[in-house]
Amino acid sequence: MIILDYNDRRPLYEQIVDKISNLILKGILKPGDKMPSVRNLAMELAINPNTIQRAYGELEHRGYIYSVKGRGNFVSHSESLIQKKQEETCWRLQDVISEAKTYGIREEKIAKIVKTIYEGGEKDD
Amino acid sequence: MIILDYNDRRPLYEQIVDKISNLILKGILKPGDKMPSVRNLAMELAINPNTIQRAYGELEHRGYIYSVKGRGNFVSHSESLIQKKQEETCWRLQDVISEAKTYGIREEKIAKIVKTIYEGGEKDD
Amino acid sequence: MIILDYNDRRPLYEQIVDKISNLILKGILKPGDKMPSVRNLAMELAINPNTIQRAYGELEHRGYIYSVKGRGNFVSHSESLIQKKQEETCWRLQDVISEAKTYGIREEKIAKIVKTIYEGGEKDD
Amino acid sequence: MIILDYNDRRPLYEQIVDKISNLILKGILKPGDKMPSVRNLAMELAINPNTIQRAYGELEHRGYIYSVKGRGNFVSHSESLIQKKQEETCWRLQDVISEAKTYGIREEKIAKIVKTIYEGGEKDD
DNA sequence: GTGGTCTAGACCACG
DNA sequence: GTGGTCTAGACCACC
């Protein structure tokens, strides 16, 4: 379900946070679902439980999951999260498009990219 | 000419590389121009000369400048660089737009963002 | 009668101790009343009987209830308990008010809060 | 400057976060001040550097400090923080006062406590 | 079995 | 020297 990239310069725990929060935002992990236990996921990914712990801590901090001692971690019943993600994505869009303009990429080129993505297919990291 | 952001979590040398390469790509620093000396720039930015050295090294590595022993560093007569930058930007565009699609941002929304950026002039960090 | 909050980070048994001791202090459970049996309450709350057992143990330890072998648990004929609770609350009052002072909350503000609470009736978690 | 209480049930890192954020809110640590280095503070408190690291991480997360790699941690130029603290304190005030009412503490009693604290002295944990 | 905290010690990147 | 990440292994509280 999660694949770590050891060439990625970002820390492992951050990769995990990203991957899992995406799974939640996309609805693959649903509110109330039980997350894999810290130790299990650590084994599965062949990394130290502390690293998972940290990722889960961050996810809890950001409101994606909540933990119940002695029971496990669960996906939270978040609502506004998807909205927040959308806003953030809009900011990034503006950044990249401004950059594109600065370096002389033509407006039509962007339109074309948008079109191929929204019509054709997918691309799902 | 360059302002460092100490809150930025990226290393200083990377910020400098970014800023200078942008100045070159935008044509503000022109091919053949002499770069400020390592020691001068270090003084001006109030940081360690090692850090400038490293930034210049990286810039040379990427082909933005070249150094002449005993004379200083100079902006390269690069052409393919801007093209490379454009390609890179295109990849980022595709990434972000795919993400936008995934999280349910509508195609028109993006078109609108593109339009406002390409019509009104703005944003030139 | 009791609602557990799985988001609360405190242990379940502590929540139960709190809730029940409050019911006793408020006079909703009266001295001599029979407590629900461990197994019944466990079923009702859909949790492990061990947890109830532990809560009852703690309540007995604090003098809120007493147990009679083979017959069940009963609310104590406590008097000093409410006094103890009052004292404890006074300490907390002092703490919070001192803190309020430290961070520049004005005396009148507190007076206002006290007034609204003691006049309007409210808040009975 | 900081004293740890090993009897306190809260984790060490949380105690540290509390203590330091209070020092900042009270103005004892001023914006821009350099924090003690992770290793130094760890030595001074005779605990593991990781624990300090975690406390600093949390403080950064909450906006009290910011870190510059290779340079150190610094108190941030926060503004709204004190306001946030005040609001939080107000909520706690309401909680405790409601509780006081529930357990039959008289309004005058509270007024008296407030008065002695705001007139007489201190109490500064 | 679960999560949570802490220690000890290592390694990296940055200045 | 600084902060940041990760591992290994321990111990605790809770269920």
Side-chain angles (χ1 to χ4, degrees), chain C residues 76-89:
Chain C
S76 296
H77 299 264
S78 51
E79 284 144 23
S80 58
L81 284 176
I82 203 168
Q83 206 175 351
K84 216 167 110 193
K85 182 74 180 181
Q86 280 193 2
E87 281 171 25
E88 189 196 309
T89 304

Side-chain angles (χ1 to χ4, degrees), chain A residues 40-56:
Chain A
N40 271 173
L41 188 51
M43 288 242 300
E44 200 173 310
L45 300 181
I47 62 176
N48 190 292
N50 277 329
T51 306
I52 303 293
Q53 184 73 295
R54 183 162 182 186
Y56 277 12

